[in-house]
Amino acid sequence: MCLPALVFVLTFAYGPMVGLIMAFQDYKPWLGLTGSSWIGLENFRRIFQYEEASQAIYNTLIIAVSKISVGIVVPIVTAILLSEIRSMGLKKSIQTLVYLPHFLSWVTVAGMMIDILGLEGGINHILTSVFGSEPIYFLGDPSLFRPTVVLSDLWKNFGFGMIVYLATIAGIDPSYYEAAEIDGATRRQQIWHVTLPSMLPMIIVIATLSLGGILDAGFDQIFNLYNPLVYSTGDIIDTYVYRSSLLNGQYGFGTAVGLFKSVISLILIVLSYRFAYKFANYRIF
């Protein structure tokens, strides 16, 4: 039964890794992997020589860290607040509404955002017609693009994290709350001294495992939202690789940038699992 999955992984995950040879070549498609000249680590040196590549790495770190930070804090707060609602109907309705965007593709979400945040979108229509202010180009202003990306990612995905924390809260022994209530603890004190400490192992696991994605700022989202006006703050490693390799024909350089990102991500993933095991006793094997 595992054979089809094994064949699939070998074909589409490990087979293409042969192409990593291009990272060490001045790759020419008409010469192929065997005919292209070997240039060693020259493509990797160019990563730190090109200002665009360094900027893409910096943007990736800023956007990814921002997403991870708000993507941990907001689901925790929302899960705690939602767990305090006593009406099951209201609780389930809110839970469904905040979780629903997780199932939308970034193509759909990006189309919605362009319609809402564009110069003639709904928000600018309110700003100009009601408040009489100048329209704001949210997706074309470099200073506003990062916050827009982070907040839109939060809106789309925080519902999934909230479900994880809600499950953690549901697994807390009710006797802890009963004991705290007997001792005279208020609801706020119960949250602070019972709920949060009980959630702490899961928070540590999610936070440490998020380190593995520190260089993954979300290609699907950025690619569907960005434009040349915001390359200075919105261009990330994945979009830079896409443009430099597939659009500009620098296949060797694009492969080198992608390999550099993959190696760093692998190291971070290994470290994150070590931290998760050390601080939260979490392990897969």
Side-chain angles (χ1 to χ4, degrees), residues 48-279:
F48 302 98
Q49 293 174 352
Y50 285 1
E51 182 180 354
E52 295 87 353
S54 300
Q55 185 66 47
I57 295 174
Y58 176 75
N59 292 338
T60 301
L61 291 173
I62 295 296
I63 294 174
V65 171
S66 300
K67 285 184 176 181
I68 292 173
S69 300
V70 299
I72 292 175
V73 174
V74 174
I76 293 173
V77 175
T78 308
I80 292 175
L81 293 176
L82 199 59
S83 67
E84 295 298 312
I85 297 177
R86 294 293 174 257
S87 173
M88 290 302 298
L90 178 60
K91 185 176 181 178
K92 293 294 184 182
S93 299
I94 296 175
Q95 184 175 321
T96 302
L97 287 175
V98 299
Y99 187 51
L100 189 61
H102 180 72
F103 297 98
L104 300 177
S105 68
W106 271 116
V107 176
T108 303
V109 174
M112 294 167 54
M113 291 186 61
I114 292 172
D115 290 337
I116 295 173
L117 300 177
L119 288 175
E120 299 180 356
I123 292 182
N124 277 314
H125 178 71
I126 295 174
L127 291 176
T128 55
S129 61
V130 177
F131 298 100
S133 60
E134 294 294 326
I136 301 174
Y137 194 9
F138 293 94
L139 299 178
D141 188 340
S143 63
L144 296 176
F145 186 75
R146 286 178 188 161
T148 303
V149 166
V150 173
L151 291 176
S152 61
D153 179 80
L154 177 65
W155 172 78
K156 183 179 183 297
N157 294 318
F158 88 95
F160 179 79
M162 183 196 67
I163 296 296
V164 175
Y165 292 119
L166 277 175
T168 303
I169 294 174
I172 299 175
D173 191 343
S175 63
Y176 294 159
Y177 293 102
E178 295 171 359
E181 190 173 355
I182 293 174
D183 289 338
T186 62
R187 291 302 302 175
R188 183 179 299 177
Q189 291 172 330
Q190 291 177 37
I191 291 172
W192 185 258
H193 295 287
V194 177
T195 306
L196 282 175
S198 300
M199 295 172 63
L200 189 58
M202 181 57 67
I203 294 173
I204 293 175
V205 168
I206 293 179
T208 53
L209 295 184
S210 297
L211 293 176
I214 202 75
L215 292 181
D216 186 9
F219 173 80
D220 291 345
Q221 179 191 17
I222 302 295
F223 180 75
N224 285 285
L225 291 177
Y226 85 148
N227 57 75
L229 295 175
V230 295
Y231 279 174
S232 60
T233 58
D235 195 23
I236 61 174
I237 295 176
D238 292 333
T239 54
Y240 181 69
V241 169
Y242 169 78
R243 290 202 322 277
S244 62
S245 58
L246 296 182
L247 298 185
N248 297 335
Q250 302 179 38
Y251 300 103
F253 176 68
T255 304
V257 176
L259 180 58
F260 169 78
K261 174 197 169 184
S262 299
V263 171
I264 299 299
S265 298
L266 176 62
I267 295 173
L268 291 174
I269 288 173
V270 173
L271 290 176
S272 66
Y273 275 100
R274 295 286 295 178
F275 288 145
Y277 174 66
K278 181 178 181 180
F279 295 109

